[in-house]
Amino acid sequence: MSAATQPGRRTSAVAIASVNPLDHADEIKALFVAHGLATFPDFFDRTYPAAVRSGARSWLGRDEQQRIVMHQACLPRRFRSPHGDVVAGLMTNLVVAMQYRSFFPGVALLKRAVGDIVASGGIDFLYADPNVGGGVLLEAVGFTRVGTLQRYALPIADQHVVLDTCIRLFHVWLRATNGAAAGMAAVPHTAQDFSVAGVAVPWLAGPSVAAYHDPTLYTSRLAGYPTTLDWWLTLHTSHEQSGPPAAALMIRGPDASGTATLKAWRRARGGVELGVPLPGLIAELRRRGCRRLQISTIAESTFGRALRKAGFVRRPDTIPILAKALTPAGEACLAALDDWEITDLECDR
């Protein structure tokens, strides 16, 4: 019997079942909207169809009147690591109706989900970046904290002349300490004209861990992508700009506040250091009226340390990364968190 047709197991007057979320789309959307997440229907429509084609599942809890009162999804994510390709499951979109927001119903939902995933196979590890309540439930079913999703910011410009001069001097210091992009050409591209398929496969070699970027990941995680605020910067080893770039960076913004966000950092084998694209990136950001550039990544990683060395400043908002290894390959990948090179594009928040 397929998971979609298995009868639900009852717990605390709630029947839990694994389902194809597309078969219950209207009910799932209504649950989220009823609990204050009015933007979820748009997210569902641009995310779940492609996710289901890649193997995504949902777990629903229904009360005695057959109303959906709980939801949890698992979206597959593929990573390249020194130990080979691994498949992860991003645990996301957990919501529990107010009358069932006690410890045991949520734990029962997650326990069923994890049990079904283990039984089905094909997933090396599960991970999540939950809120406080979700983190407590995940820890109760065997997830542990493996790292911290940290936001960093780099000053780009300021409307006040004195402050802007200080920032410019700071950028000069960065170039001197991080290495100049000698012989490198930085080329901006509109997102509409840039082929995301060209950066879908991780370019990295060696110890780094990077995610595969299916083109649907950008439309899923970035509402409206490609918008007029979305653009790419490629770094080329010669001014001829022929052949594949040495690095490709995806930026959204600057927005009305002058903030731009670096959403993807893809670099070729051989390793373009983080500081190398910065002069070209900063120059382009200043031309676009940007005041600050932000990025989120794992603070404990080599990439996080490289951001700090390149002048990015830690911001106070952090999110824990919880994970649970299901196979030896998944355990090895999680143990190598220092080598992860990801942004919040691979996460949920």
Side-chain angles (χ1 to χ4, degrees):
M1 186 180 294
S2 69
T5 59
Q6 290 176 359
R9 302 170 189 169
R10 301 190 72 80
T11 177
S12 302
V14 175
I16 299 172
S18 173
V19 303
N20 178 340
L22 301 181
D23 294 337
H24 307 268
D26 291 341
E27 292 178 285
I28 294 172
K29 293 176 188 178
L31 174 67
F32 279 80
V33 171
H35 290 83
L37 295 169
T39 60
F40 182 79
D42 175 68
F43 175 79
F44 185 99
D45 290 340
R46 70 174 192 266
T47 300
Y48 276 68
V52 167
R53 289 194 294 272
S54 298
R57 301 292 294 173
S58 283
W59 285 262
L60 302 180
R62 292 185 182 272
D63 64 12
E64 293 179 335
Q65 287 74 45
Q66 294 301 300
R67 295 172 301 192
I68 294 179
V69 294
M70 297 192 296
H71 174 270
Q72 170 70 61
C74 178
L75 309 184
R77 293 284 188 266
R78 188 178 169 203
F79 290 83
R80 172 171 286 178
S81 79
H83 307 281
D85 285 0
V86 295
V87 179
L90 175 61
M91 303 296 283
T92 183
N93 298 148
L94 170 62
V95 66
V96 179
M98 190 62 67
Q99 63 270 35
Y100 290 94
R101 286 187 186 175
S102 61
F103 181 74
F104 293 105
V107 167
L109 179 70
L110 286 171
K111 187 176 293 185
R112 170 66 188 274
V114 172
D116 287 348
I117 293 167
V118 171
S120 297
I123 299 289
D124 294 295
F125 67 90
L126 302 172
Y127 75 107
D129 51 311
N131 58 24
V132 175
V136 170
L137 297 177
L138 287 167
E139 288 176 347
V141 297
F143 283 66
T144 58
R145 181 165 181 164
V146 295
T148 307
L149 189 65
Q150 174 85 56
R151 184 170 68 90
Y152 296 90
L154 178 72
I156 300 297
D158 197 278
Q159 60 184 345
H160 298 96
V161 175
V162 174
L163 288 177
D164 192 61
T165 300
C166 291
I167 291 173
R168 285 178 177 272
L169 291 173
F170 176 58
H171 294 162
V172 171
W173 177 80
L174 288 179
R175 289 195 295 272
T177 56
N178 287 281
M184 305 291 279
V187 183
H189 312 263
T190 64
Q192 290 90 340
D193 297 329
F194 188 83
S195 174
V196 172
V199 296
V201 177
W203 297 347
L204 290 172
S208 298
V209 177
Y212 282 77
H213 280 187
D214 186 284
T216 59
L217 178 66
Y218 292 90
T219 56
S220 168
R221 295 288 290 132
L222 302 172
Y225 183 92
T227 71
T228 55
L229 292 179
D230 298 323
W231 53 285
W232 288 78
L233 188 80
T234 56
L235 199 70
H236 300 260
T237 53
S238 73
H239 291 283
E240 296 177 0
Q241 302 170 23
S242 60
L249 292 73
M250 189 265 144
I251 302 98
R252 168 163 279 194
D255 58 19
S257 71
T259 299
T261 304
L262 180 54
K263 285 295 184 179
W265 158 249
R266 314 290 273 178
R267 60 193 179 109
R269 296 175 184 271
V272 174
E273 295 299 326
L274 180 66
V276 173
L278 283 181
L281 177 58
I282 289 170
E284 183 64 25
L285 287 169
R286 287 183 66 93
R287 188 184 71 80
R288 294 170 182 255
C290 180
R291 296 184 182 180
R292 68 191 64 83
L293 174 67
Q294 63 181 10
I295 181 175
S296 295
T297 194
I298 295 176
E300 297 86 353
S301 66
T302 298
F303 188 49
R305 291 192 293 275
L307 285 171
R308 297 192 288 274
K309 180 183 176 183
F312 284 79
V313 179
R314 291 178 188 256
R315 304 310 301 155
D317 42 323
T318 60
I319 301 171
I321 302 292
L322 303 183
K324 179 181 178 69
L326 304 183
T327 69
E331 186 173 2
C333 192
L334 291 175
L337 202 74
D338 182 73
D339 300 320
W340 281 42
E341 195 162 296
I342 69 169
T343 70
D344 57 343
L345 194 71
E346 286 86 10
C347 300
D348 184 33
R349 291 193 290 159

